[in-house]
Amino acid sequence: MIVIGGGVGGLVLGRALRDAGAEVLVADRDSRAEDTGGYRLHLDATACEILARRLPPAVYQALLASSAGPGSFQRFTFLDHRLRPLLRIPRPGDGDNLLISRIALRTLLCHGLDDVVAFGREFTHHTVHDGVVTAHFADGTTETGDVLVGADGARSRTASVLAGRPTARRLRANGLAGRTPIGGDTVVPPELRVGPAFVFGPGGTIVFLSAHDPATASVDAAACREVPPVVDRPFLLWGITTVRDLPLDARPDVHHELARYLLRDWSPVLRDLVAAADPASVTAFPYYAADPETDLVPWPAGPVTALGDAVHAMPPTGGRGAITALRDADLLAEELTRALRGETTVPLAVHAYQQRMPEYAVDAVRESLQPLRWQLRLRNPAVFQLGRLALSAGSAVRRA
């Protein structure tokens, strides 16, 4: 079995299939696990349950030791651009939740998979002949298997061929994000000590803020003797969502200056936090999303399918991308394991996956798109003021 893409979903699927007795290759074009985009991921109780079940206990313990503790996500706060609280929403205690950097997560998911993961393999296309799938790579090599799964992101080559079109569209919004080291003279607003925040500003600009401190982890790093954790230094993650056109291919220092410019009239505390970011950490990126009103898998079940952003791309504004990819990997692994045991066939296993996956993926895409719909409305100054008043009124009702 061949998995194209060594992201969160691809790695968990590859491990699950290997553990079920399949011969598996996970091919990724990056040269190593650490060469990944993105910053920090939120994994909810469902995602944590999947990881706890699919990973060796020592690896899962290292994940807990590499993440910020549960006290870092006790509530979600909405602020205005002066950092005045508008609405606080307590978060229910519904089991494990991980706030972990993407590099730490990917590195640990690769632990013990040296026989499965092949980095530096850029996939170009696939062919199918008599039920056998051949994956073709940029270096001229090929791999064959009875199943190929595209876990290759929002611009998936696999899913685009299956669907006969791109499976995700470019959105009007773009993102700018960076990391600011925490410590010393860096002042972090108290609201961020207990959870992330959305900051709404004029012109439809939204900023996401979240403090990340692995020192608050629920598992002591010293207790992880079999699998060492990947512990980051404390940082503040900030991400700006804007409908402005951005020079996506510019240097990080240019992106940093642009972020400071976009927030020039915002709270001085926020401006100082963004100014103190490591310039090398700042990047700009486009947003992509699948259309939740269309069929996410408009292709017949067969030996080739896809998961994660390749099927249901969504912007980071909902924090649902990694969670949904993990659910895909778990579901597809369950169905393909049944085929390995002779309880069903590969086409029927893929059909069952493609039938069940949209039941949760469509809602995740819609939830992730909602903040962008707010953003477009808030570009109107009058709507922005009404929205600010509505959030403040909502906060008053919750306190009553």
Side-chain angles (χ1 to χ4, degrees), residues 118-149:
F119 286 109
R121 304 288 302 274
E122 182 180 354
F123 172 78
T124 58
H125 64 287
H126 73 271
T127 55
V128 181
H129 182 69
D130 290 336
V132 177
V133 186
T134 301
H136 299 258
F137 297 91
D139 59 4
T141 60
T142 61
E143 301 284 350
T144 59
D146 53 359
V147 175
L148 184 144
V149 180

PDB file of all heavy atoms in Angstrom, residues 118-149:
ATOM      1  N   ALA A 118       9.570   7.331   3.434  1.00  0.00           N
ATOM      2  CA  ALA A 118      10.656   7.657   2.508  1.00  0.00           C
ATOM      3  C   ALA A 118      10.575   9.137   2.182  1.00  0.00           C
ATOM      4  O   ALA A 118       9.670   9.575   1.450  1.00  0.00           O
ATOM      5  CB  ALA A 118      10.543   6.819   1.245  1.00  0.00           C
ATOM      6  N   PHE A 119      11.489   9.922   2.743  1.00  0.00           N
ATOM      7  CA  PHE A 119      11.534  11.348   2.438  1.00  0.00           C
ATOM      8  C   PHE A 119      12.322  11.575   1.150  1.00  0.00           C
ATOM      9  O   PHE A 119      13.077  10.708   0.692  1.00  0.00           O
ATOM     10  CB  PHE A 119      12.172  12.111   3.593  1.00  0.00           C
ATOM     11  CG  PHE A 119      11.271  12.253   4.797  1.00  0.00           C
ATOM     12  CD1 PHE A 119      11.532  11.554   5.966  1.00  0.00           C
ATOM     13  CD2 PHE A 119      10.160  13.074   4.751  1.00  0.00           C
ATOM     14  CE1 PHE A 119      10.704  11.681   7.071  1.00  0.00           C
ATOM     15  CE2 PHE A 119       9.314  13.203   5.840  1.00  0.00           C
ATOM     16  CZ  PHE A 119       9.597  12.504   7.005  1.00  0.00           C
ATOM     17  N   GLY A 120      12.116  12.746   0.568  1.00  0.00           N
ATOM     18  CA  GLY A 120      12.808  13.083  -0.673  1.00  0.00           C
ATOM     19  C   GLY A 120      12.238  12.387  -1.892  1.00  0.00           C
ATOM     20  O   GLY A 120      12.918  12.262  -2.912  1.00  0.00           O
ATOM     21  N   ARG A 121      10.981  11.927  -1.816  1.00  0.00           N
ATOM     22  CA  ARG A 121      10.321  11.270  -2.954  1.00  0.00           C
ATOM     23  C   ARG A 121       9.168  12.162  -3.417  1.00  0.00           C
ATOM     24  O   ARG A 121       8.114  12.215  -2.786  1.00  0.00           O
ATOM     25  CB  ARG A 121       9.780   9.887  -2.555  1.00  0.00           C
ATOM     26  CG  ARG A 121      10.784   8.904  -1.981  1.00  0.00           C
ATOM     27  CD  ARG A 121      11.738   8.351  -3.015  1.00  0.00           C
ATOM     28  NE  ARG A 121      11.097   7.663  -4.118  1.00  0.00           N
ATOM     29  CZ  ARG A 121      10.739   6.363  -4.109  1.00  0.00           C
ATOM     30  NH1 ARG A 121      10.908   5.649  -2.998  1.00  0.00           N
ATOM     31  NH2 ARG A 121      10.221   5.800  -5.176  1.00  0.00           N
ATOM     32  N   GLU A 122       9.361  12.868  -4.520  1.00  0.00           N
ATOM     33  CA  GLU A 122       8.317  13.749  -5.048  1.00  0.00           C
ATOM     34  C   GLU A 122       7.432  12.990  -6.029  1.00  0.00           C
ATOM     35  O   GLU A 122       7.879  12.562  -7.097  1.00  0.00           O
ATOM     36  CB  GLU A 122       8.926  14.966  -5.741  1.00  0.00           C
ATOM     37  CG  GLU A 122       7.867  15.937  -6.252  1.00  0.00           C
ATOM     38  CD  GLU A 122       8.438  17.153  -6.951  1.00  0.00           C
ATOM     39  OE1 GLU A 122       9.679  17.310  -6.941  1.00  0.00           O
ATOM     40  OE2 GLU A 122       7.640  17.946  -7.508  1.00  0.00           O
ATOM     41  N   PHE A 123       6.175  12.836  -5.663  1.00  0.00           N
ATOM     42  CA  PHE A 123       5.195  12.134  -6.478  1.00  0.00           C
ATOM     43  C   PHE A 123       4.772  13.007  -7.652  1.00  0.00           C
ATOM     44  O   PHE A 123       4.555  14.213  -7.517  1.00  0.00           O
ATOM     45  CB  PHE A 123       3.994  11.795  -5.588  1.00  0.00           C
ATOM     46  CG  PHE A 123       2.810  11.233  -6.301  1.00  0.00           C
ATOM     47  CD1 PHE A 123       2.785   9.907  -6.709  1.00  0.00           C
ATOM     48  CD2 PHE A 123       1.691  12.022  -6.547  1.00  0.00           C
ATOM     49  CE1 PHE A 123       1.674   9.374  -7.345  1.00  0.00           C
ATOM     50  CE2 PHE A 123       0.579  11.498  -7.184  1.00  0.00           C
ATOM     51  CZ  PHE A 123       0.572  10.166  -7.591  1.00  0.00           C
ATOM     52  N   THR A 124       4.622  12.396  -8.829  1.00  0.00           N
ATOM     53  CA  THR A 124       4.172  13.148 -10.000  1.00  0.00           C
ATOM     54  C   THR A 124       2.802  12.693 -10.491  1.00  0.00           C
ATOM     55  O   THR A 124       1.937  13.509 -10.795  1.00  0.00           O
ATOM     56  CB  THR A 124       5.183  13.027 -11.159  1.00  0.00           C
ATOM     57  OG1 THR A 124       5.365  11.629 -11.501  1.00  0.00           O
ATOM     58  CG2 THR A 124       6.523  13.645 -10.768  1.00  0.00           C
ATOM     59  N   HIS A 125       2.591  11.359 -10.565  1.00  0.00           N
ATOM     60  CA  HIS A 125       1.302  10.865 -11.041  1.00  0.00           C
ATOM     61  C   HIS A 125       1.203   9.372 -10.739  1.00  0.00           C
ATOM     62  O   HIS A 125       2.170   8.746 -10.282  1.00  0.00           O
ATOM     63  CB  HIS A 125       1.118  11.103 -12.536  1.00  0.00           C
ATOM     64  CG  HIS A 125       2.089  10.364 -13.415  1.00  0.00           C
ATOM     65  ND1 HIS A 125       3.418  10.727 -13.528  1.00  0.00           N
ATOM     66  CD2 HIS A 125       1.925   9.260 -14.216  1.00  0.00           C
ATOM     67  CE1 HIS A 125       4.033   9.906 -14.365  1.00  0.00           C
ATOM     68  NE2 HIS A 125       3.145   9.001 -14.792  1.00  0.00           N
ATOM     69  N   HIS A 126       0.014   8.822 -11.003  1.00  0.00           N
ATOM     70  CA  HIS A 126      -0.171   7.388 -10.812  1.00  0.00           C
ATOM     71  C   HIS A 126      -0.878   6.790 -12.018  1.00  0.00           C
ATOM     72  O   HIS A 126      -1.555   7.490 -12.789  1.00  0.00           O
ATOM     73  CB  HIS A 126      -0.983   7.102  -9.539  1.00  0.00           C
ATOM     74  CG  HIS A 126      -2.440   7.431  -9.671  1.00  0.00           C
ATOM     75  ND1 HIS A 126      -2.968   8.690  -9.378  1.00  0.00           N
ATOM     76  CD2 HIS A 126      -3.507   6.666 -10.072  1.00  0.00           C
ATOM     77  CE1 HIS A 126      -4.263   8.680  -9.582  1.00  0.00           C
ATOM     78  NE2 HIS A 126      -4.636   7.477 -10.000  1.00  0.00           N
ATOM     79  N   THR A 127      -0.707   5.499 -12.175  1.00  0.00           N
ATOM     80  CA  THR A 127      -1.415   4.748 -13.195  1.00  0.00           C
ATOM     81  C   THR A 127      -1.991   3.487 -12.559  1.00  0.00           C
ATOM     82  O   THR A 127      -1.475   3.003 -11.543  1.00  0.00           O
ATOM     83  CB  THR A 127      -0.492   4.358 -14.368  1.00  0.00           C
ATOM     84  OG1 THR A 127       0.650   3.642 -13.847  1.00  0.00           O
ATOM     85  CG2 THR A 127      -0.005   5.589 -15.114  1.00  0.00           C
ATOM     86  N   VAL A 128      -3.053   2.984 -13.136  1.00  0.00           N
ATOM     87  CA  VAL A 128      -3.689   1.761 -12.646  1.00  0.00           C
ATOM     88  C   VAL A 128      -3.828   0.783 -13.806  1.00  0.00           C
ATOM     89  O   VAL A 128      -4.324   1.144 -14.881  1.00  0.00           O
ATOM     90  CB  VAL A 128      -5.080   2.048 -12.045  1.00  0.00           C
ATOM     91  CG1 VAL A 128      -5.708   0.765 -11.511  1.00  0.00           C
ATOM     92  CG2 VAL A 128      -4.990   3.082 -10.934  1.00  0.00           C
ATOM     93  N   HIS A 129      -3.387  -0.462 -13.592  1.00  0.00           N
ATOM     94  CA  HIS A 129      -3.491  -1.492 -14.623  1.00  0.00           C
ATOM     95  C   HIS A 129      -3.801  -2.827 -13.962  1.00  0.00           C
ATOM     96  O   HIS A 129      -3.046  -3.300 -13.101  1.00  0.00           O
ATOM     97  CB  HIS A 129      -2.182  -1.597 -15.423  1.00  0.00           C
ATOM     98  CG  HIS A 129      -2.238  -2.601 -16.539  1.00  0.00           C
ATOM     99  ND1 HIS A 129      -3.014  -2.418 -17.668  1.00  0.00           N
ATOM    100  CD2 HIS A 129      -1.610  -3.810 -16.693  1.00  0.00           C
ATOM    101  CE1 HIS A 129      -2.867  -3.453 -18.473  1.00  0.00           C
ATOM    102  NE2 HIS A 129      -2.023  -4.314 -17.902  1.00  0.00           N
ATOM    103  N   ASP A 130      -4.922  -3.413 -14.338  1.00  0.00           N
ATOM    104  CA  ASP A 130      -5.348  -4.698 -13.779  1.00  0.00           C
ATOM    105  C   ASP A 130      -5.371  -4.686 -12.251  1.00  0.00           C
ATOM    106  O   ASP A 130      -4.955  -5.640 -11.587  1.00  0.00           O
ATOM    107  CB  ASP A 130      -4.422  -5.823 -14.266  1.00  0.00           C
ATOM    108  CG  ASP A 130      -4.599  -6.110 -15.749  1.00  0.00           C
ATOM    109  OD1 ASP A 130      -5.675  -5.801 -16.290  1.00  0.00           O
ATOM    110  OD2 ASP A 130      -3.656  -6.646 -16.363  1.00  0.00           O
ATOM    111  N   GLY A 131      -5.862  -3.584 -11.694  1.00  0.00           N
ATOM    112  CA  GLY A 131      -5.998  -3.491 -10.246  1.00  0.00           C
ATOM    113  C   GLY A 131      -4.721  -3.155  -9.504  1.00  0.00           C
ATOM    114  O   GLY A 131      -4.731  -3.028  -8.271  1.00  0.00           O
ATOM    115  N   VAL A 132      -3.607  -3.010 -10.223  1.00  0.00           N
ATOM    116  CA  VAL A 132      -2.333  -2.657  -9.594  1.00  0.00           C
ATOM    117  C   VAL A 132      -2.063  -1.175  -9.823  1.00  0.00           C
ATOM    118  O   VAL A 132      -2.148  -0.673 -10.950  1.00  0.00           O
ATOM    119  CB  VAL A 132      -1.171  -3.501 -10.165  1.00  0.00           C
ATOM    120  CG1 VAL A 132       0.159  -3.064  -9.558  1.00  0.00           C
ATOM    121  CG2 VAL A 132      -1.404  -4.979  -9.888  1.00  0.00           C
ATOM    122  N   VAL A 133      -1.736  -0.450  -8.750  1.00  0.00           N
ATOM    123  CA  VAL A 133      -1.471   0.979  -8.832  1.00  0.00           C
ATOM    124  C   VAL A 133       0.037   1.197  -8.870  1.00  0.00           C
ATOM    125  O   VAL A 133       0.779   0.628  -8.060  1.00  0.00           O
ATOM    126  CB  VAL A 133      -2.061   1.727  -7.617  1.00  0.00           C
ATOM    127  CG1 VAL A 133      -1.898   3.236  -7.796  1.00  0.00           C
ATOM    128  CG2 VAL A 133      -3.519   1.367  -7.418  1.00  0.00           C
ATOM    129  N   THR A 134       0.459   2.037  -9.794  1.00  0.00           N
ATOM    130  CA  THR A 134       1.873   2.405  -9.877  1.00  0.00           C
ATOM    131  C   THR A 134       2.014   3.889  -9.599  1.00  0.00           C
ATOM    132  O   THR A 134       1.365   4.715 -10.241  1.00  0.00           O
ATOM    133  CB  THR A 134       2.451   2.091 -11.269  1.00  0.00           C
ATOM    134  OG1 THR A 134       2.309   0.694 -11.532  1.00  0.00           O
ATOM    135  CG2 THR A 134       3.931   2.461 -11.330  1.00  0.00           C
ATOM    136  N   ALA A 135       2.836   4.218  -8.611  1.00  0.00           N
ATOM    137  CA  ALA A 135       3.138   5.610  -8.285  1.00  0.00           C
ATOM    138  C   ALA A 135       4.432   5.999  -8.976  1.00  0.00           C
ATOM    139  O   ALA A 135       5.430   5.277  -8.886  1.00  0.00           O
ATOM    140  CB  ALA A 135       3.278   5.776  -6.774  1.00  0.00           C
ATOM    141  N   HIS A 136       4.398   7.132  -9.668  1.00  0.00           N
ATOM    142  CA  HIS A 136       5.563   7.619 -10.397  1.00  0.00           C
ATOM    143  C   HIS A 136       6.146   8.826  -9.663  1.00  0.00           C
ATOM    144  O   HIS A 136       5.400   9.702  -9.198  1.00  0.00           O
ATOM    145  CB  HIS A 136       5.169   8.012 -11.819  1.00  0.00           C
ATOM    146  CG  HIS A 136       4.623   6.869 -12.634  1.00  0.00           C
ATOM    147  ND1 HIS A 136       5.353   6.206 -13.582  1.00  0.00           N
ATOM    148  CD2 HIS A 136       3.392   6.272 -12.623  1.00  0.00           C
ATOM    149  CE1 HIS A 136       4.613   5.259 -14.141  1.00  0.00           C
ATOM    150  NE2 HIS A 136       3.412   5.278 -13.567  1.00  0.00           N
ATOM    151  N   PHE A 137       7.474   8.885  -9.599  1.00  0.00           N
ATOM    152  CA  PHE A 137       8.149   9.947  -8.855  1.00  0.00           C
ATOM    153  C   PHE A 137       9.055  10.763  -9.768  1.00  0.00           C
ATOM    154  O   PHE A 137       9.430  10.304 -10.863  1.00  0.00           O
ATOM    155  CB  PHE A 137       8.939   9.341  -7.691  1.00  0.00           C
ATOM    156  CG  PHE A 137       8.062   8.658  -6.680  1.00  0.00           C
ATOM    157  CD1 PHE A 137       7.761   7.307  -6.799  1.00  0.00           C
ATOM    158  CD2 PHE A 137       7.499   9.375  -5.629  1.00  0.00           C
ATOM    159  CE1 PHE A 137       6.923   6.677  -5.879  1.00  0.00           C
ATOM    160  CE2 PHE A 137       6.664   8.754  -4.712  1.00  0.00           C
ATOM    161  CZ  PHE A 137       6.381   7.406  -4.836  1.00  0.00           C
ATOM    162  N   ALA A 138       9.390  11.961  -9.305  1.00  0.00           N
ATOM    163  CA  ALA A 138      10.131  12.909 -10.133  1.00  0.00           C
ATOM    164  C   ALA A 138      11.510  12.411 -10.517  1.00  0.00           C
ATOM    165  O   ALA A 138      12.065  12.834 -11.539  1.00  0.00           O
ATOM    166  CB  ALA A 138      10.239  14.251  -9.405  1.00  0.00           C
ATOM    167  N   ASP A 139      12.092  11.512  -9.731  1.00  0.00           N
ATOM    168  CA  ASP A 139      13.428  10.996 -10.054  1.00  0.00           C
ATOM    169  C   ASP A 139      13.391   9.821 -11.019  1.00  0.00           C
ATOM    170  O   ASP A 139      14.417   9.188 -11.293  1.00  0.00           O
ATOM    171  CB  ASP A 139      14.165  10.585  -8.777  1.00  0.00           C
ATOM    172  CG  ASP A 139      13.432   9.504  -7.983  1.00  0.00           C
ATOM    173  OD1 ASP A 139      12.385   9.019  -8.458  1.00  0.00           O
ATOM    174  OD2 ASP A 139      13.903   9.153  -6.890  1.00  0.00           O
ATOM    175  N   GLY A 140      12.202   9.522 -11.547  1.00  0.00           N
ATOM    176  CA  GLY A 140      12.074   8.448 -12.511  1.00  0.00           C
ATOM    177  C   GLY A 140      11.769   7.091 -11.922  1.00  0.00           C
ATOM    178  O   GLY A 140      11.520   6.135 -12.663  1.00  0.00           O
ATOM    179  N   THR A 141      11.745   6.985 -10.602  1.00  0.00           N
ATOM    180  CA  THR A 141      11.460   5.709  -9.961  1.00  0.00           C
ATOM    181  C   THR A 141       9.959   5.489  -9.861  1.00  0.00           C
ATOM    182  O   THR A 141       9.152   6.421  -9.992  1.00  0.00           O
ATOM    183  CB  THR A 141      12.085   5.640  -8.564  1.00  0.00           C
ATOM    184  OG1 THR A 141      11.534   6.699  -7.754  1.00  0.00           O
ATOM    185  CG2 THR A 141      13.597   5.791  -8.636  1.00  0.00           C
ATOM    186  N   THR A 142       9.569   4.244  -9.605  1.00  0.00           N
ATOM    187  CA  THR A 142       8.160   3.892  -9.429  1.00  0.00           C
ATOM    188  C   THR A 142       8.007   2.954  -8.245  1.00  0.00           C
ATOM    189  O   THR A 142       8.964   2.309  -7.812  1.00  0.00           O
ATOM    190  CB  THR A 142       7.597   3.197 -10.688  1.00  0.00           C
ATOM    191  OG1 THR A 142       8.330   1.992 -10.931  1.00  0.00           O
ATOM    192  CG2 THR A 142       7.674   4.106 -11.904  1.00  0.00           C
ATOM    193  N   GLU A 143       6.793   2.903  -7.708  1.00  0.00           N
ATOM    194  CA  GLU A 143       6.422   1.955  -6.656  1.00  0.00           C
ATOM    195  C   GLU A 143       5.054   1.402  -7.018  1.00  0.00           C
ATOM    196  O   GLU A 143       4.201   2.132  -7.545  1.00  0.00           O
ATOM    197  CB  GLU A 143       6.367   2.624  -5.282  1.00  0.00           C
ATOM    198  CG  GLU A 143       7.668   3.278  -4.829  1.00  0.00           C
ATOM    199  CD  GLU A 143       8.707   2.279  -4.368  1.00  0.00           C
ATOM    200  OE1 GLU A 143       8.363   1.080  -4.215  1.00  0.00           O
ATOM    201  OE2 GLU A 143       9.864   2.684  -4.157  1.00  0.00           O
ATOM    202  N   THR A 144       4.819   0.126  -6.735  1.00  0.00           N
ATOM    203  CA  THR A 144       3.533  -0.475  -7.036  1.00  0.00           C
ATOM    204  C   THR A 144       2.865  -0.995  -5.773  1.00  0.00           C
ATOM    205  O   THR A 144       3.531  -1.331  -4.791  1.00  0.00           O
ATOM    206  CB  THR A 144       3.685  -1.644  -8.040  1.00  0.00           C
ATOM    207  OG1 THR A 144       4.559  -2.646  -7.480  1.00  0.00           O
ATOM    208  CG2 THR A 144       4.240  -1.163  -9.359  1.00  0.00           C
ATOM    209  N   GLY A 145       1.536  -1.048  -5.808  1.00  0.00           N
ATOM    210  CA  GLY A 145       0.778  -1.550  -4.675  1.00  0.00           C
ATOM    211  C   GLY A 145      -0.662  -1.795  -5.072  1.00  0.00           C
ATOM    212  O   GLY A 145      -1.078  -1.453  -6.190  1.00  0.00           O
ATOM    213  N   ASP A 146      -1.434  -2.355  -4.156  1.00  0.00           N
ATOM    214  CA  ASP A 146      -2.843  -2.597  -4.452  1.00  0.00           C
ATOM    215  C   ASP A 146      -3.735  -1.447  -4.016  1.00  0.00           C
ATOM    216  O   ASP A 146      -4.922  -1.413  -4.335  1.00  0.00           O
ATOM    217  CB  ASP A 146      -3.315  -3.901  -3.818  1.00  0.00           C
ATOM    218  CG  ASP A 146      -3.017  -3.981  -2.331  1.00  0.00           C
ATOM    219  OD1 ASP A 146      -2.422  -3.031  -1.785  1.00  0.00           O
ATOM    220  OD2 ASP A 146      -3.375  -5.006  -1.718  1.00  0.00           O
ATOM    221  N   VAL A 147      -3.166  -0.485  -3.279  1.00  0.00           N
ATOM    222  CA  VAL A 147      -3.909   0.702  -2.841  1.00  0.00           C
ATOM    223  C   VAL A 147      -2.954   1.897  -2.881  1.00  0.00           C
ATOM    224  O   VAL A 147      -1.779   1.784  -2.512  1.00  0.00           O
ATOM    225  CB  VAL A 147      -4.454   0.546  -1.404  1.00  0.00           C
ATOM    226  CG1 VAL A 147      -5.104   1.841  -0.924  1.00  0.00           C
ATOM    227  CG2 VAL A 147      -5.461  -0.591  -1.326  1.00  0.00           C
ATOM    228  N   LEU A 148      -3.470   3.040  -3.328  1.00  0.00           N
ATOM    229  CA  LEU A 148      -2.732   4.301  -3.235  1.00  0.00           C
ATOM    230  C   LEU A 148      -3.650   5.336  -2.604  1.00  0.00           C
ATOM    231  O   LEU A 148      -4.803   5.496  -3.036  1.00  0.00           O
ATOM    232  CB  LEU A 148      -2.247   4.777  -4.608  1.00  0.00           C
ATOM    233  CG  LEU A 148      -1.375   6.049  -4.588  1.00  0.00           C
ATOM    234  CD1 LEU A 148      -0.280   5.962  -5.652  1.00  0.00           C
ATOM    235  CD2 LEU A 148      -2.208   7.317  -4.819  1.00  0.00           C
ATOM    236  N   VAL A 149      -3.143   6.022  -1.589  1.00  0.00           N
ATOM    237  CA  VAL A 149      -3.919   7.038  -0.877  1.00  0.00           C
ATOM    238  C   VAL A 149      -3.193   8.377  -0.996  1.00  0.00           C
ATOM    239  O   VAL A 149      -2.030   8.507  -0.593  1.00  0.00           O
ATOM    240  CB  VAL A 149      -4.091   6.677   0.612  1.00  0.00           C
ATOM    241  CG1 VAL A 149      -4.909   7.767   1.319  1.00  0.00           C
ATOM    242  CG2 VAL A 149      -4.766   5.323   0.766  1.00  0.00           C
TER     243      VAL A 149
END
